[in-house]
Amino acid sequence: MPLGKILNLLLVALERISAKPAKVTDELQTTEELPSTTTVENTELSAATVSDLQSFTEDARAPQSEIFEEKNATAISMLQDELHKFVSGSAEVEGVIIITPDGMALASVLSPGMDEELTAAMSASMLSLGEHIGRELARGAIDRVVVEGERGYGVLVNCSQEVILLVLASPSAKQGILFLEIKQAIAKIAPLLK
């Protein structure tokens, strides 16, 4: 539905609504009881207005949701491509996942057999716990959380307020180089998250 038609419908509805109370007030001054026809007219007006507004909202939602889903799919595809480049461009990086602070995976490149949902949920919990520990120990804002095990590293980094990056690296990775690669990857990923 064109915007002009929508505005005209809203304007007509507002004029009718604002005109009705004046008419009812005039009728109340002349008679004590409100005529039943006025009630029917108001009901019909309300039903017509509600019907017009419902069709307006349904028409307005459809294109917006399609555009949003299309933008979302494009952004996820671009994120996925950037993650593939990051993993394939470094011999030490074995996997990577982008998650929300509440533990939802947005995009990932993980080793076969790794559960994306579980990895995302654990990563969000680990970062939340790291931030809590940082506050309690008066260390300020957390830059990264690093888990070092016999099979390698897990590095959690905030990309933005809404996105966390988990990088899984081999035990042969040099931490300084790994952190630099992560910083460069975040510089490429961050613009795709807006």
Side-chain angles (χ1 to χ4, degrees):
M1 182 177 291
L3 183 59
K5 186 173 181 181
I6 294 166
L7 292 174
N8 285 337
L9 283 173
L10 290 174
L11 185 60
V12 168
L14 288 173
E15 286 173 356
R16 286 182 185 171
I17 290 170
S18 63
K20 288 297 177 181
K23 183 178 179 182
V24 170
T25 306
D26 292 343
E27 288 176 1
L28 283 175
Q29 289 173 353
T30 56
T31 64
E32 289 183 26
E33 194 174 310
L34 190 65
S36 60
T37 56
T38 304
T39 304
V40 171
E41 287 176 7
N42 284 340
T43 304
E44 289 174 6
L45 172 65
S46 297
T49 303
V50 168
S51 174
D52 289 343
L53 290 175
Q54 282 176 339
S55 66
F56 162 69
T57 55
E58 288 170 5
D59 290 344
R61 283 185 193 156
Q64 287 177 348
S65 64
E66 288 172 10
I67 291 169
F68 178 75
E69 288 173 11
E70 187 177 309
K71 281 184 178 179
N72 229 4
T74 303
I76 297 296
S77 175
M78 292 170 72
L79 279 173
Q80 197 71 30
D81 290 344
E82 200 58 50
L83 294 182
H84 277 288
K85 289 176 190 174
F86 178 48
V87 172
S88 63
S90 174
E92 290 81 22
V93 175
E94 298 174 341
V96 64
I97 184 170
I98 296 177
I99 61 171
T100 61
D102 60 347
M104 301 292 293
L106 297 176
S108 69
V109 177
L110 297 172
S111 303
M114 286 193 73
D115 185 351
E116 183 182 72
E117 290 179 7
L118 181 62
T119 303
M122 287 189 307
S123 298
S125 296
M126 191 166 51
L127 187 64
S128 177
L129 182 59
E131 288 173 344
H132 182 69
I133 292 169
R135 278 192 305 274
E136 291 299 318
L137 298 177
R139 298 297 97 190
I142 297 296
D143 187 35
R144 70 181 73 89
V145 175
V146 180
V147 176
E148 182 178 352
E150 61 185 41
R151 298 173 91 189
Y153 300 95
V155 182
L156 276 169
V157 183
N158 277 326
C159 286
S160 69
Q161 292 282 343
E162 300 86 25
V163 179
I164 302 164
L165 178 71
L166 169 67
V167 178
L168 302 172
S170 70
S172 63
K174 307 279 190 259
Q175 284 190 12
I177 294 171
L178 179 62
F179 295 157
L180 179 62
E181 289 176 343
I182 291 171
K183 190 175 183 177
Q184 291 170 346
I186 289 172
K188 293 177 184 176
I189 291 169
L192 302 175
L193 298 171
K194 294 178 181 178

